Amino acid sequence: MRLVTAAALCSAAAFAGFSAAAPLIPRYDSPAAMGYPNPNDAQLKAIQNLADGTLSNAPPPPKLEPSSLTAFQLIAFNEEFEVAFFSSLIENITNSVPGFDLPSQEKKDELLDILETVLAQEELHAINAIKVLEHFNAFAPMPCQYRFPTTNVYDAIALAETFTAVVLGTLQDAAQLLATNGDAGPVRAVASVIGQEGEQEGFYRILLAKKPSEKPFLTTSTAPFAFSALQAFVVPGSCPFPLSKIDLPIFQPLAVLTGRDGADVGPSDQTLTFSANLTGVQPAKTYVGGNGNGLYITYLTGQNLPISEAITNVRWNGDTITFDAFFPFTANVMQGLSIAALTTGSNFATADDIPAATLAAPGLIQVNDKVKAWDAI
Ligand SMILES: *[C@@H]1O[C@H](CO)[C@@H](O)[C@H](O)[C@H]1NC(C)=O
Ligand SMILES: *[C@@H]1O[C@H](CO)[C@@H](O)[C@H](O)[C@H]1NC(C)=O
């Protein structure tokens, strides 16, 4: 769908009596109209102008290990979701869809101006990952169809803030993996994207009246948790490829039932309630109907070692388990994002050891350090 094209803007400017020689301001167009995800040279130039920068012109790395390529497949899969999300958000704000009205025209202009650049930047992140994969003749995932749970601008920005926090954790995992694989080449570029997404995150947080810098060391995540979380936004069966082409597990969702579904948990030691449907989860079979002995909620928070808490108060409804687990806020200062997994073990040495013992994940928990913000929506 076409929004504001350069031509429309140009004729509007001419109509308003502006000089026809006025420089053409690049304006947002729908990703498809910009040729995304396979733009031609002219389309790529237009995206780069909107994005305030270009793709890297450095040569590709000499080799990438298979698991490094999987990391780029996940990056492409995620960035393609982000492109769809921000493009839907821009359309909703542009068209003043109910719930997406802003308090003033100035606020609307500001937000659109910023989000249109973010969108072009996300398009380049996706295109970069696709080009890396194509260079190595590896499978490059193309966009799926997406569904978003948000129906107002506040919730949409809150969701963007949450998925960007997960991305900020997952790109740490990608950098670590590349280093472990001896694939130093792309590490600098991944680090540059971590900073870039962090800049976005600070802006979303200010809009939500949260302090822009979330934690001294941002919460880490793992590729399987990110891939699983993204499934919530993919229309089932809509990807133009089997999901198994990306060699990562997809876990059953872990719902956080406390604190507005985990989006607003208070800053205190407390018991949280979780739920997961374990139908079809083979390693869960021996636990179904039991009292939860040997099961844990394992948290990732900041750069701490994984924290495991035994689950309690277990209830079953068929294969669906509902239970409680302690949230050790005070000892760990769990402000910002924490990521929970239902695990069959505890005492994990690293975040990357958790997925092999996971039954359902990720549960996303946000503790919001609020501030009196001047620019909140
Ligand atoms: C845009 O609005 C539609 C209709 O309310 C909604 O279903 C969709 O989730 C919104 N998009 C975003 C990104 O919130
Ligand atoms: C759990 O998932 C299975 C398979 O998707 C489904 O048939 C069942 O209805 C679900 N249970 C609940 C309580 O939602």
Side-chain angles (χ1 to χ4, degrees), residues 168-330:
L168 285 166
T170 309
L171 289 176
Q172 298 169 28
D173 201 46
Q176 182 78 33
L177 176 78
L178 290 165
T180 307
N181 282 347
D183 289 333
V187 171
R188 191 183 295 267
V190 169
S192 92
V193 174
I194 295 176
Q196 201 279 345
E197 300 276 352
E199 290 181 328
Q200 290 184 42
E201 186 73 336
F203 173 64
Y204 305 141
R205 291 178 62 83
I206 278 289
L207 290 179
L208 300 167
K210 303 190 205 187
K211 291 175 186 167
S213 53
E214 179 183 339
K215 292 182 84 62
F217 302 98
L218 295 182
T219 295
T220 202
S221 182
T222 70
F225 291 172
F227 192 48
S228 301
L230 284 167
Q231 303 308 321
F233 309 120
V234 173
V235 175
S238 74
C239 297
F241 57 89
L243 290 170
S244 57
K245 295 277 272 186
I246 299 178
D247 187 17
L248 292 170
I250 296 174
F251 296 117
Q252 286 291 97
L254 175 62
V256 183
L257 304 182
T258 312
R260 289 187 45 231
D261 295 335
D264 196 9
V265 169
S268 60
D269 289 347
Q270 60 192 288
T271 296
L272 301 181
T273 303
F274 299 84
S275 166
N277 183 344
L278 299 175
T279 297
V281 181
Q282 210 53 40
K285 290 272 186 279
T286 54
Y287 298 95
V288 172
N291 64 2
N293 258 355
L295 293 179
Y296 302 83
I297 277 291
T298 297
Y299 297 101
L300 291 171
T301 191
Q303 292 290 315
N304 290 318
L305 294 176
I307 302 162
S308 296
E309 299 285 348
I311 72 169
T312 56
N313 193 19
V314 171
R315 295 88 88 191
W316 291 96
N317 174 13
D319 292 337
T320 296
I321 183 172
T322 303
F323 59 90
D324 298 341
F326 185 60
F327 182 64
F329 177 87
T330 307

Side-chain angles (χ1 to χ4, degrees), residues 37-41 43-45 47-49 51-59 120-132 189 192-193:
N38 295 300
N40 62 30
D41 287 354
Q43 289 168 326
L44 181 59
K45 276 209 173 79
I47 297 172
Q48 292 181 151
N49 281 333
D52 291 347
T54 67
L55 291 174
S56 168
N57 58 1
Q121 291 167 339
E122 301 296 5
E123 288 176 21
L124 292 184
H125 292 167
I127 290 166
N128 175 63
I130 290 168
K131 281 184 184 293
V132 167
S192 92
V193 174

